[in-house]
Amino acid sequence: MDTLEEFDHVVIFNSNDCRLKSFWPQDDFEYSTWLLDLESHIREALGTRAREVTGLNIPLKSGAVFLAIGLKLDPSFLYNSVIRGPRSGTDAGKYFRNFWGNKSEIRHLDGDLYECAIWESTKDITSQIVDYVLSRKLNTSNKTQSNLWYQVSCTSLNGILKSFSPPYSTLRLPARASTLHLINSLQSLRNILSGFNKHLPLNIMDVQPMSAEFRGTSVFAPIVDICDGTRKKKSADNPWHNVHHTLRPIYAILQIQSSGKWPKDDYAAFLHMKRLFLLRIKELLVHIGVPSKVVSTGMLDIFINGLILRLSFCHNFELKLLGRSLGLTKPYQFKAKKDLEEEYVEKEQEEYEPEPLTRWLTFNQRLPDVTSQLVAIARSHINTFPDACRLAKRWLSAHGFPVIQCPDISSEPVWGLDCEPVCLGDADLGASNCRLTEIAVELMVIHAGGFTEAVNTSSYSAGLPGSGSDRFLSTSPLVTFLRFLRLIYLFDWKNDILL
């Protein structure tokens, strides 16, 4: 595996620069000894931030070799801007102050005085530590160090993920909602809906986030509508009319209390009861002044905190009832070989099952479980997984492979019950025109970054050597993105299945 794909942070020294050799006596200069000394110095400075510090030789096509130090970082300490040392006034405290020099400060923590090193939280902290330690060790100035070594950090590509608006431009980008704002809005909606349980036939147990915006993996954060005092009175009286056609809905699924009250034999009756349930929620929202609207796909749009949350609920029995009513699921019966041959001949004469509907059923059955796992991974690797997903989606879109959003989750089939195939647009997951859903891209990023436990299959590690190793976990969006590109290039997508 390439060095940039293996290590989360790489420090590369310009070995061709004659000034680098001047920092070591000429008669006793050895690259390996010099590199080991710097390696131990950086390891001591990073402490628990680094899981591994390794000296490297990076060969070039010209035959030259660049010395480097590779770092594997611990995400739990990576973004801590304070290095807390021993108590001030002790022998250990004096050693800490001597090691860090003028960077050491005395801070009052937990009722005592400690030696600490403070770093700027707005910049990459690991890069700041390495630059300071190497400059102090080699006794170089800021101008000199920029030519002697270069750092490939976790945040090297983060600049292309930020929105750019020139200061001289009259165009102002719309306000965007942060992931924290989305989480708080969803929690506010949970509190509102849970208060309706005494007025509903079935209790609402939870509201599960589904869209990529909740995970922070969407290419662009959703636009938030901020009400100001410049709007006309007529517009203020009808806020729904202003935002419903401009804001993109964000999907979530209601988890309803299990009950035997649902119709068990008639799918049309089931849909009717489902629509009545959503209409009842809409009526209750009107009484507390929350704008809402039932859309044609059998879902409920709610405007809250400047966002449109599109809600539906997916009952497992609904999918089974739909498949049964269309003849897609039949009870299994043991048959003789002769009967199987006759059935095979009859099946060839029958019309094929509606593929769009089959995909729709499979999609709705698996999606809630998959998205819940994606949310958990995004929370556990909040500084790595979301940024890597956004990089991957932008790269695919820039190279002519548009990444589409998931279709209306748990919505009613737009083709009804007549089983006639129709053009579903983005909802057609089987369309072969070089498109990928957001969830498909995120699952590949999970594999590339090692965010889940490895599966012991030959196809799993075919695209990425070493993916089964315990040290494969990445804490760098850049490293994860580079592994994602290697996975796309090397994996045999035509013949293998990525498991």
Side-chain angles (χ1 to χ4, degrees), residues 68 89 112 190 249 295 321 412 416 420 431 462:
D112 208 340
R190 286 193 183 103
V295 295
L321 186 60
E412 300 173 8
E420 294 182 3

Side-chain angles (χ1 to χ4, degrees), residues 304-336:
I304 184 171
N305 292 348
L307 301 168
I308 293 181
L309 300 182
R310 179 164 290 181
L311 301 182
S312 181
F313 58 90
C314 179
H315 199 286
N316 290 331
F317 188 73
E318 175 187 1
L319 301 177
K320 295 178 182 178
L321 186 60
L322 175 60
R324 190 186 309 164
S325 62
L326 298 176
L328 300 181
T329 57
K330 298 179 180 179
Y332 181 80
Q333 297 178 355
F334 291 97
K335 299 179 181 180

Side-chain angles (χ1 to χ4, degrees), residues 417-432:
L417 302 178
D418 53 5
C419 303
E420 294 182 3
V422 296
C423 180
L424 299 180
D426 285 351
D428 189 356
L429 303 180
S432 57

Side-chain angles (χ1 to χ4, degrees), residues 77 108 203 231 258 261 286 305 400:
F77 302 99
H108 187 272
N203 291 337
R231 290 186 175 178
S258 300
K261 299 178 181 179
V286 170
N305 292 348

